[in-house]
Amino acid sequence: MQSCTAVKHLVPNGVAVSVRRLFRFAVLGPGALAADAFFDDIPIVLTASRMAQSPVDAPVAVTIIDREMITASGFTEIHDLMRLVPGFMVADWADGSPSVANHGLGDAYDRRIKVMIDGRTVNSPLWGNTNWQDLPLRVDDLERVEVVRGPNGAAYGVNAFQAVINLITRSPSTESGARVISRLGEDGFYDHGFRANGSADAAIDWRLSGSHRRAVNFRNYVDDGGEVNPRETITRSVLNLSATAQLSTRDELGLMLGISDGTSDRGIPGDLEEPLREDKSRSNFLHLTWRRSFAVDSELTVQYYHQDERMRAAWVNTRYPPLVIPLDMNSDVRRDDLEVQYSTTLSPTWRFMVGAGVRREAARAASMFNTRGTLSGTSSQLFGSVVWSPVEHLKVDLGGTLEDHHYSGPLFSPRFALNYALTPESALRLSAGVSYRTPSLVESNAEQVVRIGSQIKQLFLRAGDDMQPERVRHIEIGYAAMFRELGLGLDVRAFHKHYTDYIDDQRCFYPRQPWERPLPSGERFCPPAPSGYAPFEYDLRDGRGPRSFLFQNAGTFNMTGAEFSVDWHRPGWGRIVLSQAVIDINAGKDVPDPDFDTSAPTSITSLLLMKDLPGRWRASMGYYRHAVMNWLNDGDRVPEQGRFDLRLARSFGEPGSGNEVAVVAQSVGGRYADFHEGRYRHEPRLFASLNLSW
């Protein structure tokens, strides 16, 4: 099996091919691949430990969302694909980017999940979250998604805290010709895209793709009390280029670059605090890789990437008539990262990987950092992994990352895992480790102000002093198997996680006069305000006076749960992918948020059914349900609910061409509560699509 992964460099960008398919390709040539579907059953994953391996051998639980699932789901937004992963929740809200959470702890900024595109991190340096709608690629560009369903700091360092998502794009070498994709639906929805590829015999394999889309996600929702809540309509344009050049039999050079540009129409008509506005966003990236293969299972990779994000969001606050206060919500952020990695197999029983990287992050946000200019920090890390097979059927995996973070200093994230093979295609797994999340630039430096001239009239978010990084100690036991004769894949695990130094924002108050009495029990005074602080008279008269929200370490808690996924496939009939997760959070007395225990629903269900029909028709249905839960901070209670999606498609033209017409209905039951039951109702969507190649 070891020689199977030696040829993975033949497939750039980590295209989803099975280990045995790679072996057949290397030994018998490409003609053998189409002749034997027997070799379609064992995929490889690249994200679990940074080394190519079967999910059965991985030291952590991994879910693969393959191209068939991506198409059958009917999803047009990448974040929605996470609904297919056991234990994951997805929510959108009208005032910001969608949020993705694993096993709870979700709020407006999903900064506890590391998200990558082809191995490069795309989390924003400002908040640490992922701006899903601004990613410079589309679902049509994806070959597969690999999701590590738990902490993985041993492989990726700080901020791989709750999960790791790796979006793996299609390799230019796997396609030829051109393709157009067009989606049109009700309420002005459209999503038009194209892909153009170089010729198969060219010296450089390349692909250029682009798209332009518009969608109404939220209308102004009027709640039971007559209050009008925000709306959101997004428009985005995306363009990206991917190219690879085989410089020699050993050397390969890769280039990827992309841009996303668009607007978000948000706000409430006539509202003083959330007026109508148009937020403008742009994100760019450049990703360079050089890969050298020395021998079987011996490879050196060097990669550099740059990303920058720009947000232009000018508000006007008219809460204090007759004053009209301009609010500068603009931000500019960037990240530069250089990384080198070497992996090899020393013998049939020893395999190892080692690497190092350096990363610089910077952000400028005048209102968020009180006009302190550009804030930046440089971090470095060493990482490695050793896999040892002391006896037949047993693998011992030791991994870890030592990181010197610009805020938190040195942190070491270790992992210890045992995999015992019951059969060649099934194994028991025991894994334990420690992972960290460091404060984002906002959490560690926030001093969000509203100014009139030289005076600070309001203080919102503020950074606490001497915050410690969040830490999680995690242990899991799992079972993964592939029953080829049944067409069945199974993944079961139970886990326990202990969290300390959880970071949250808590309300604090400023004394209106120095001689005022202490605050009631459970409340706290804010740290001294910066010079020039002169609150509005309105705020001085309001209740307990001016207030801020202070980031600080807010307690410890435990999380226990279990999950399973079943993937059954029968050629000519179709496929069923079912997952279920149960989660329990037990917060300590030092966690002040009363909604914390219910931030994870007690159960989460995902079902994707794909059915082959006569005449080249295919139908699919998605069902996604969660029990009642609470999104934290800007979010709130969301009731128990299920969402149904339906898709009916017919392929035409040459077999394998991908030509298809389809009709998709998302959220068949109508509008549904999302992120905050009292404020947001996500819109359903009905559209038709055409996929045409030549």
Side-chain angles (χ1 to χ4, degrees), residues 134-192:
D134 297 321
L135 294 179
L137 80 163
R138 300 290 292 130
V139 290
D140 305 298
D141 298 316
L142 295 177
E143 177 63 31
R144 66 191 259 161
V145 182
E146 294 181 3
V147 183
V148 176
R149 306 194 312 270
N152 201 19
Y156 297 99
V158 299
N159 302 340
F161 192 68
Q162 280 287 91
V164 177
I165 299 170
N166 194 9
L167 308 171
I168 300 175
T169 60
R170 293 180 167 186
S171 168
S173 63
T174 63
E175 294 184 293
S176 61
R179 180 178 299 276
V180 293
I181 307 101
S182 184
R183 303 178 179 96
L184 284 170
E186 59 180 355
D187 208 13
F189 170 79
Y190 61 80
D191 185 2
H192 307 306

Short mmCIF file of all heavy atoms in Angstrom, two decimals, residues 134-192:
data_model
loop_
_atom_site.label_atom_id
_atom_site.label_comp_id
_atom_site.label_asym_id
_atom_site.label_seq_id
_atom_site.Cartn_x
_atom_site.Cartn_y
_atom_site.Cartn_z
N ASP A 134 -17.20 35.54 0.24
CA ASP A 134 -16.14 36.26 -0.48
C ASP A 134 -15.00 35.35 -0.91
O ASP A 134 -13.98 35.86 -1.40
CB ASP A 134 -15.59 37.39 0.40
CG ASP A 134 -16.64 38.44 0.71
OD1 ASP A 134 -17.44 38.75 -0.19
OD2 ASP A 134 -16.67 38.92 1.85
N LEU A 135 -15.13 34.05 -0.74
CA LEU A 135 -14.06 33.16 -1.17
C LEU A 135 -13.92 33.24 -2.69
O LEU A 135 -14.91 33.24 -3.42
CB LEU A 135 -14.36 31.72 -0.76
CG LEU A 135 -14.37 31.42 0.74
CD1 LEU A 135 -14.72 29.95 0.98
CD2 LEU A 135 -13.04 31.76 1.39
N PRO A 136 -12.69 33.29 -3.19
CA PRO A 136 -12.48 33.46 -4.64
C PRO A 136 -12.58 32.15 -5.41
O PRO A 136 -11.75 31.83 -6.26
CB PRO A 136 -11.07 34.05 -4.70
CG PRO A 136 -10.39 33.49 -3.51
CD PRO A 136 -11.44 33.36 -2.43
N LEU A 137 -13.60 31.37 -5.13
CA LEU A 137 -13.92 30.17 -5.90
C LEU A 137 -15.36 29.81 -5.64
O LEU A 137 -16.00 30.34 -4.72
CB LEU A 137 -12.99 29.01 -5.57
CG LEU A 137 -13.27 28.18 -4.30
CD1 LEU A 137 -12.53 26.86 -4.38
CD2 LEU A 137 -12.84 28.93 -3.06
N ARG A 138 -15.90 28.89 -6.47
CA ARG A 138 -17.29 28.50 -6.38
C ARG A 138 -17.39 26.99 -6.21
O ARG A 138 -16.41 26.26 -6.37
CB ARG A 138 -18.03 28.93 -7.66
CG ARG A 138 -17.99 30.42 -7.93
CD ARG A 138 -18.84 31.19 -6.93
NE ARG A 138 -20.25 30.89 -7.13
CZ ARG A 138 -21.09 30.52 -6.15
NH1 ARG A 138 -20.66 30.39 -4.91
NH2 ARG A 138 -22.36 30.28 -6.40
N VAL A 139 -18.60 26.52 -5.89
CA VAL A 139 -18.80 25.09 -5.72
C VAL A 139 -18.41 24.33 -6.99
O VAL A 139 -17.96 23.18 -6.92
CB VAL A 139 -20.26 24.77 -5.33
CG1 VAL A 139 -20.56 25.22 -3.93
CG2 VAL A 139 -21.24 25.39 -6.32
N ASP A 140 -18.57 24.95 -8.15
CA ASP A 140 -18.23 24.28 -9.41
C ASP A 140 -16.73 24.06 -9.57
O ASP A 140 -16.31 23.25 -10.39
CB ASP A 140 -18.75 25.10 -10.59
CG ASP A 140 -20.24 25.38 -10.47
OD1 ASP A 140 -21.03 24.42 -10.47
OD2 ASP A 140 -20.61 26.57 -10.36
N ASP A 141 -15.92 24.80 -8.81
CA ASP A 141 -14.46 24.64 -8.89
C ASP A 141 -13.94 23.53 -7.97
O ASP A 141 -12.76 23.19 -8.04
CB ASP A 141 -13.76 25.95 -8.50
CG ASP A 141 -14.11 27.10 -9.44
OD1 ASP A 141 -14.11 26.86 -10.66
OD2 ASP A 141 -14.36 28.21 -8.96
N LEU A 142 -14.79 23.00 -7.11
CA LEU A 142 -14.34 22.03 -6.11
C LEU A 142 -14.35 20.61 -6.66
O LEU A 142 -15.31 20.19 -7.32
CB LEU A 142 -15.23 22.09 -4.87
CG LEU A 142 -15.20 23.38 -4.05
CD1 LEU A 142 -16.20 23.30 -2.91
CD2 LEU A 142 -13.80 23.66 -3.51
N GLU A 143 -13.30 19.89 -6.35
CA GLU A 143 -13.27 18.46 -6.61
C GLU A 143 -13.77 17.68 -5.41
O GLU A 143 -14.50 16.70 -5.54
CB GLU A 143 -11.84 18.01 -6.95
CG GLU A 143 -11.69 16.52 -7.17
CD GLU A 143 -12.50 16.03 -8.37
OE1 GLU A 143 -12.68 16.80 -9.34
OE2 GLU A 143 -12.95 14.88 -8.35
N ARG A 144 -13.43 18.14 -4.23
CA ARG A 144 -13.84 17.49 -3.01
C ARG A 144 -13.58 18.41 -1.83
O ARG A 144 -12.88 19.41 -1.95
CB ARG A 144 -13.10 16.16 -2.80
CG ARG A 144 -11.61 16.34 -2.56
CD ARG A 144 -10.87 15.04 -2.62
NE ARG A 144 -10.55 14.49 -1.31
CZ ARG A 144 -10.24 13.21 -1.11
NH1 ARG A 144 -10.25 12.36 -2.12
NH2 ARG A 144 -9.97 12.78 0.09
N VAL A 145 -14.13 18.05 -0.68
CA VAL A 145 -13.88 18.76 0.56
C VAL A 145 -13.50 17.72 1.61
O VAL A 145 -14.19 16.70 1.76
CB VAL A 145 -15.12 19.54 1.04
CG1 VAL A 145 -14.81 20.30 2.33
CG2 VAL A 145 -15.61 20.50 -0.04
N GLU A 146 -12.39 17.95 2.29
CA GLU A 146 -11.97 17.09 3.40
C GLU A 146 -12.18 17.85 4.70
O GLU A 146 -11.73 18.99 4.84
CB GLU A 146 -10.51 16.68 3.26
CG GLU A 146 -10.25 15.79 2.06
CD GLU A 146 -8.79 15.36 1.94
OE1 GLU A 146 -7.98 15.72 2.84
OE2 GLU A 146 -8.47 14.67 0.96
N VAL A 147 -12.86 17.22 5.66
CA VAL A 147 -13.18 17.87 6.93
C VAL A 147 -12.69 16.99 8.08
O VAL A 147 -13.14 15.85 8.24
CB VAL A 147 -14.69 18.10 7.07
CG1 VAL A 147 -14.99 18.83 8.37
CG2 VAL A 147 -15.22 18.89 5.88
N VAL A 148 -11.75 17.51 8.84
CA VAL A 148 -11.33 16.86 10.08
C VAL A 148 -12.32 17.30 11.15
O VAL A 148 -12.43 18.48 11.47
CB VAL A 148 -9.90 17.26 10.46
CG1 VAL A 148 -9.52 16.65 11.82
CG2 VAL A 148 -8.92 16.82 9.38
N ARG A 149 -13.05 16.34 11.72
CA ARG A 149 -14.18 16.66 12.58
C ARG A 149 -13.78 16.82 14.04
O ARG A 149 -14.46 16.33 14.95
CB ARG A 149 -15.25 15.58 12.46
CG ARG A 149 -15.70 15.32 11.02
CD ARG A 149 -16.98 14.51 10.96
NE ARG A 149 -16.98 13.33 11.79
CZ ARG A 149 -16.57 12.12 11.43
NH1 ARG A 149 -16.09 11.94 10.20
NH2 ARG A 149 -16.63 11.10 12.25
N GLY A 150 -12.70 17.50 14.29
CA GLY A 150 -12.27 17.73 15.66
C GLY A 150 -11.00 18.54 15.67
O GLY A 150 -10.45 18.91 14.63
N PRO A 151 -10.49 18.86 16.86
CA PRO A 151 -9.25 19.64 16.95
C PRO A 151 -8.10 18.93 16.24
O PRO A 151 -7.98 17.71 16.29
CB PRO A 151 -9.01 19.71 18.46
CG PRO A 151 -10.34 19.47 19.10
CD PRO A 151 -11.05 18.52 18.18
N ASN A 152 -7.25 19.72 15.58
CA ASN A 152 -6.11 19.15 14.86
C ASN A 152 -4.91 20.08 14.91
O ASN A 152 -4.23 20.30 13.92
CB ASN A 152 -6.50 18.84 13.41
CG ASN A 152 -5.57 17.81 12.77
OD1 ASN A 152 -4.87 17.07 13.46
ND2 ASN A 152 -5.58 17.75 11.46
N GLY A 153 -4.67 20.63 16.10
CA GLY A 153 -3.53 21.52 16.28
C GLY A 153 -2.21 20.83 16.04
O GLY A 153 -1.22 21.48 15.67
N ALA A 154 -2.14 19.51 16.22
CA ALA A 154 -0.89 18.79 16.01
C ALA A 154 -0.42 18.89 14.57
O ALA A 154 0.78 18.85 14.29
CB ALA A 154 -1.06 17.32 16.41
N ALA A 155 -1.35 19.01 13.63
CA ALA A 155 -0.98 19.11 12.22
C ALA A 155 -0.87 20.55 11.75
O ALA A 155 -0.02 20.86 10.90
CB ALA A 155 -2.00 18.37 11.36
N TYR A 156 -1.70 21.46 12.30
CA TYR A 156 -1.77 22.81 11.74
C TYR A 156 -1.56 23.92 12.76
O TYR A 156 -1.69 25.10 12.42
CB TYR A 156 -3.12 23.01 11.05
CG TYR A 156 -3.30 22.07 9.88
CD1 TYR A 156 -4.04 20.90 10.01
CD2 TYR A 156 -2.70 22.33 8.66
CE1 TYR A 156 -4.19 20.03 8.94
CE2 TYR A 156 -2.83 21.46 7.59
CZ TYR A 156 -3.58 20.31 7.73
OH TYR A 156 -3.72 19.45 6.68
N GLY A 157 -1.26 23.59 14.00
CA GLY A 157 -0.95 24.62 14.98
C GLY A 157 -2.17 25.30 15.54
O GLY A 157 -3.30 24.78 15.50
N VAL A 158 -1.95 26.51 16.07
CA VAL A 158 -3.04 27.23 16.72
C VAL A 158 -4.14 27.53 15.72
O VAL A 158 -3.91 27.70 14.52
CB VAL A 158 -2.53 28.54 17.35
CG1 VAL A 158 -1.49 28.25 18.41
CG2 VAL A 158 -1.96 29.49 16.30
N ASN A 159 -5.36 27.55 16.24
CA ASN A 159 -6.58 27.90 15.52
C ASN A 159 -7.16 26.76 14.69
O ASN A 159 -8.23 26.91 14.11
CB ASN A 159 -6.40 29.15 14.64
CG ASN A 159 -5.95 30.35 15.47
OD1 ASN A 159 -6.13 30.37 16.68
ND2 ASN A 159 -5.35 31.33 14.82
N ALA A 160 -6.50 25.58 14.63
CA ALA A 160 -7.16 24.37 14.14
C ALA A 160 -7.85 23.75 15.37
O ALA A 160 -7.50 22.68 15.83
CB ALA A 160 -6.16 23.41 13.53
N PHE A 161 -8.82 24.50 15.91
CA PHE A 161 -9.28 24.29 17.28
C PHE A 161 -10.49 23.38 17.39
O PHE A 161 -10.54 22.51 18.25
CB PHE A 161 -9.60 25.66 17.89
CG PHE A 161 -9.81 25.65 19.38
CD1 PHE A 161 -8.76 25.38 20.23
CD2 PHE A 161 -11.06 25.92 19.91
CE1 PHE A 161 -8.96 25.38 21.61
CE2 PHE A 161 -11.26 25.92 21.28
CZ PHE A 161 -10.20 25.64 22.13
N GLN A 162 -11.48 23.59 16.55
CA GLN A 162 -12.68 22.76 16.58
C GLN A 162 -12.74 21.80 15.40
O GLN A 162 -13.34 20.73 15.51
CB GLN A 162 -13.93 23.64 16.56
CG GLN A 162 -14.30 24.23 17.91
CD GLN A 162 -14.86 23.17 18.84
OE1 GLN A 162 -14.12 22.55 19.59
NE2 GLN A 162 -16.16 22.97 18.80
N ALA A 163 -12.13 22.18 14.28
CA ALA A 163 -12.17 21.36 13.08
C ALA A 163 -11.25 21.99 12.04
O ALA A 163 -10.80 23.13 12.20
CB ALA A 163 -13.60 21.25 12.53
N VAL A 164 -10.99 21.23 10.98
CA VAL A 164 -10.21 21.73 9.84
C VAL A 164 -10.98 21.39 8.57
O VAL A 164 -11.38 20.23 8.37
CB VAL A 164 -8.80 21.12 9.78
CG1 VAL A 164 -8.05 21.62 8.55
CG2 VAL A 164 -8.02 21.46 11.04
N ILE A 165 -11.20 22.39 7.73
CA ILE A 165 -11.89 22.20 6.44
C ILE A 165 -10.91 22.53 5.33
O ILE A 165 -10.35 23.62 5.31
CB ILE A 165 -13.13 23.11 6.33
CG1 ILE A 165 -14.14 22.79 7.44
CG2 ILE A 165 -13.78 22.98 4.96
CD1 ILE A 165 -15.27 23.80 7.54
N ASN A 166 -10.69 21.58 4.44
CA ASN A 166 -9.79 21.79 3.30
C ASN A 166 -10.60 21.68 2.01
O ASN A 166 -11.10 20.60 1.67
CB ASN A 166 -8.66 20.76 3.31
CG ASN A 166 -7.52 21.13 2.37
OD1 ASN A 166 -7.49 22.23 1.82
ND2 ASN A 166 -6.59 20.22 2.19
N LEU A 167 -10.74 22.79 1.31
CA LEU A 167 -11.47 22.84 0.04
C LEU A 167 -10.47 22.55 -1.08
O LEU A 167 -9.57 23.34 -1.33
CB LEU A 167 -12.10 24.22 -0.16
CG LEU A 167 -12.97 24.74 0.99
CD1 LEU A 167 -13.35 26.19 0.76
CD2 LEU A 167 -14.20 23.87 1.18
N ILE A 168 -10.64 21.41 -1.73
CA ILE A 168 -9.67 20.95 -2.72
C ILE A 168 -10.25 21.16 -4.11
O ILE A 168 -11.31 20.63 -4.44
CB ILE A 168 -9.30 19.48 -2.48
CG1 ILE A 168 -8.68 19.33 -1.08
CG2 ILE A 168 -8.34 18.98 -3.55
CD1 ILE A 168 -8.39 17.91 -0.68
N THR A 169 -9.55 21.95 -4.92
CA THR A 169 -10.08 22.34 -6.22
C THR A 169 -9.74 21.30 -7.28
O THR A 169 -8.85 20.45 -7.11
CB THR A 169 -9.53 23.70 -6.65
OG1 THR A 169 -8.10 23.63 -6.74
CG2 THR A 169 -9.91 24.77 -5.65
N ARG A 170 -10.45 21.39 -8.40
CA ARG A 170 -10.19 20.49 -9.52
C ARG A 170 -8.83 20.80 -10.14
O ARG A 170 -8.47 21.97 -10.33
CB ARG A 170 -11.29 20.66 -10.57
CG ARG A 170 -12.65 20.19 -10.11
CD ARG A 170 -13.68 20.39 -11.20
NE ARG A 170 -14.92 19.67 -10.89
CZ ARG A 170 -15.94 19.58 -11.72
NH1 ARG A 170 -15.87 20.16 -12.92
NH2 ARG A 170 -17.01 18.92 -11.39
N SER A 171 -8.11 19.78 -10.48
CA SER A 171 -6.82 19.96 -11.12
C SER A 171 -7.02 20.33 -12.58
O SER A 171 -7.87 19.76 -13.27
CB SER A 171 -6.01 18.67 -11.02
OG SER A 171 -4.87 18.74 -11.87
N PRO A 172 -6.22 21.27 -13.10
CA PRO A 172 -6.33 21.60 -14.53
C PRO A 172 -6.07 20.41 -15.44
O PRO A 172 -6.60 20.34 -16.55
CB PRO A 172 -5.26 22.69 -14.71
CG PRO A 172 -5.01 23.23 -13.36
CD PRO A 172 -5.25 22.11 -12.41
N SER A 173 -5.26 19.46 -14.97
CA SER A 173 -4.90 18.32 -15.82
C SER A 173 -6.03 17.32 -15.98
O SER A 173 -5.94 16.41 -16.81
CB SER A 173 -3.68 17.61 -15.23
OG SER A 173 -3.96 17.08 -13.96
N THR A 174 -7.11 17.45 -15.21
CA THR A 174 -8.21 16.49 -15.28
C THR A 174 -9.33 16.94 -16.20
O THR A 174 -10.30 16.20 -16.38
CB THR A 174 -8.78 16.22 -13.88
OG1 THR A 174 -9.33 17.44 -13.36
CG2 THR A 174 -7.71 15.71 -12.94
N GLU A 175 -9.23 18.13 -16.77
CA GLU A 175 -10.28 18.64 -17.63
C GLU A 175 -9.70 19.18 -18.93
O GLU A 175 -8.52 19.52 -19.00
CB GLU A 175 -11.05 19.77 -16.93
CG GLU A 175 -11.84 19.34 -15.72
CD GLU A 175 -12.66 20.47 -15.15
OE1 GLU A 175 -12.06 21.44 -14.63
OE2 GLU A 175 -13.90 20.42 -15.23
N SER A 176 -10.52 19.29 -19.93
CA SER A 176 -10.13 19.91 -21.20
C SER A 176 -11.35 20.61 -21.78
O SER A 176 -12.48 20.37 -21.37
CB SER A 176 -9.59 18.86 -22.18
OG SER A 176 -10.58 17.89 -22.47
N GLY A 177 -11.11 21.49 -22.73
CA GLY A 177 -12.20 22.18 -23.36
C GLY A 177 -12.76 23.28 -22.50
O GLY A 177 -12.07 23.87 -21.66
N ALA A 178 -14.04 23.58 -22.69
CA ALA A 178 -14.69 24.69 -21.99
C ALA A 178 -16.05 24.25 -21.48
O ALA A 178 -16.63 23.27 -21.96
CB ALA A 178 -14.82 25.89 -22.91
N ARG A 179 -16.55 24.98 -20.50
CA ARG A 179 -17.83 24.65 -19.88
C ARG A 179 -18.50 25.94 -19.41
O ARG A 179 -17.83 26.86 -18.93
CB ARG A 179 -17.62 23.71 -18.71
CG ARG A 179 -18.90 23.29 -17.98
CD ARG A 179 -18.58 22.32 -16.86
NE ARG A 179 -17.97 21.10 -17.38
CZ ARG A 179 -18.66 20.07 -17.86
NH1 ARG A 179 -19.99 20.12 -17.90
NH2 ARG A 179 -18.04 19.00 -18.30
N VAL A 180 -19.81 26.00 -19.56
CA VAL A 180 -20.60 27.09 -18.99
C VAL A 180 -21.62 26.50 -18.04
O VAL A 180 -22.14 25.41 -18.26
CB VAL A 180 -21.29 27.94 -20.07
CG1 VAL A 180 -20.27 28.69 -20.91
CG2 VAL A 180 -22.20 27.09 -20.94
N ILE A 181 -21.87 27.23 -16.95
CA ILE A 181 -22.86 26.84 -15.96
C ILE A 181 -23.76 28.04 -15.74
O ILE A 181 -23.28 29.15 -15.45
CB ILE A 181 -22.22 26.42 -14.62
CG1 ILE A 181 -21.16 25.33 -14.84
CG2 ILE A 181 -23.27 25.95 -13.64
CD1 ILE A 181 -19.74 25.87 -14.84
N SER A 182 -25.06 27.84 -15.88
CA SER A 182 -25.99 28.95 -15.71
C SER A 182 -27.15 28.51 -14.83
O SER A 182 -27.77 27.47 -15.07
CB SER A 182 -26.52 29.42 -17.06
OG SER A 182 -27.35 30.55 -16.92
N ARG A 183 -27.41 29.31 -13.80
CA ARG A 183 -28.53 29.05 -12.89
C ARG A 183 -29.41 30.29 -12.86
O ARG A 183 -28.92 31.40 -12.66
CB ARG A 183 -28.04 28.71 -11.50
CG ARG A 183 -27.09 27.51 -11.44
CD ARG A 183 -26.59 27.27 -10.01
NE ARG A 183 -25.70 26.11 -9.93
CZ ARG A 183 -24.37 26.18 -9.96
NH1 ARG A 183 -23.77 27.37 -10.08
NH2 ARG A 183 -23.64 25.10 -9.87
N LEU A 184 -30.70 30.08 -13.01
CA LEU A 184 -31.67 31.17 -12.99
C LEU A 184 -32.85 30.76 -12.12
O LEU A 184 -33.33 29.62 -12.23
CB LEU A 184 -32.17 31.50 -14.39
CG LEU A 184 -31.24 32.31 -15.32
CD1 LEU A 184 -31.80 32.33 -16.72
CD2 LEU A 184 -31.05 33.72 -14.78
N GLY A 185 -33.30 31.69 -11.26
CA GLY A 185 -34.40 31.34 -10.39
C GLY A 185 -35.27 32.53 -10.05
O GLY A 185 -35.09 33.64 -10.56
N GLU A 186 -36.21 32.28 -9.17
CA GLU A 186 -37.15 33.31 -8.77
C GLU A 186 -36.47 34.38 -7.92
O GLU A 186 -35.35 34.19 -7.42
CB GLU A 186 -38.30 32.67 -7.97
CG GLU A 186 -37.85 31.93 -6.73
CD GLU A 186 -39.01 31.30 -5.97
OE1 GLU A 186 -40.16 31.52 -6.39
OE2 GLU A 186 -38.75 30.60 -4.99
N ASP A 187 -37.14 35.50 -7.78
CA ASP A 187 -36.68 36.60 -6.94
C ASP A 187 -35.34 37.18 -7.40
O ASP A 187 -34.53 37.62 -6.60
CB ASP A 187 -36.56 36.13 -5.48
CG ASP A 187 -36.76 37.28 -4.50
OD1 ASP A 187 -37.22 38.35 -4.94
OD2 ASP A 187 -36.43 37.11 -3.32
N GLY A 188 -35.10 37.12 -8.70
CA GLY A 188 -33.90 37.74 -9.25
C GLY A 188 -32.62 36.96 -9.03
O GLY A 188 -31.53 37.49 -9.24
N PHE A 189 -32.75 35.69 -8.63
CA PHE A 189 -31.55 34.87 -8.41
C PHE A 189 -30.91 34.48 -9.73
O PHE A 189 -31.59 34.03 -10.66
CB PHE A 189 -31.92 33.61 -7.62
CG PHE A 189 -30.80 32.60 -7.56
CD1 PHE A 189 -29.75 32.76 -6.68
CD2 PHE A 189 -30.80 31.49 -8.40
CE1 PHE A 189 -28.72 31.82 -6.62
CE2 PHE A 189 -29.77 30.56 -8.35
CZ PHE A 189 -28.73 30.73 -7.46
N TYR A 190 -29.60 34.64 -9.82
CA TYR A 190 -28.84 34.11 -10.95
C TYR A 190 -27.43 33.78 -10.49
O TYR A 190 -26.92 34.35 -9.53
CB TYR A 190 -28.82 35.07 -12.14
CG TYR A 190 -28.17 36.41 -11.87
CD1 TYR A 190 -26.78 36.58 -11.88
CD2 TYR A 190 -28.97 37.53 -11.64
CE1 TYR A 190 -26.21 37.81 -11.65
CE2 TYR A 190 -28.39 38.77 -11.41
CZ TYR A 190 -27.01 38.91 -11.42
OH TYR A 190 -26.44 40.13 -11.19
N ASP A 191 -26.82 32.84 -11.20
CA ASP A 191 -25.46 32.39 -10.90
C ASP A 191 -24.89 31.83 -12.19
O ASP A 191 -25.18 30.70 -12.58
CB ASP A 191 -25.49 31.33 -9.79
CG ASP A 191 -24.10 30.90 -9.35
OD1 ASP A 191 -23.11 31.44 -9.87
OD2 ASP A 191 -24.00 30.02 -8.47
N HIS A 192 -24.10 32.63 -12.90
CA HIS A 192 -23.56 32.26 -14.20
C HIS A 192 -22.05 32.07 -14.07
O HIS A 192 -21.36 32.90 -13.44
CB HIS A 192 -23.85 33.32 -15.25
CG HIS A 192 -25.30 33.71 -15.36
ND1 HIS A 192 -26.30 32.78 -15.55
CD2 HIS A 192 -25.92 34.91 -15.29
CE1 HIS A 192 -27.46 33.38 -15.60
NE2 HIS A 192 -27.26 34.68 -15.44
#
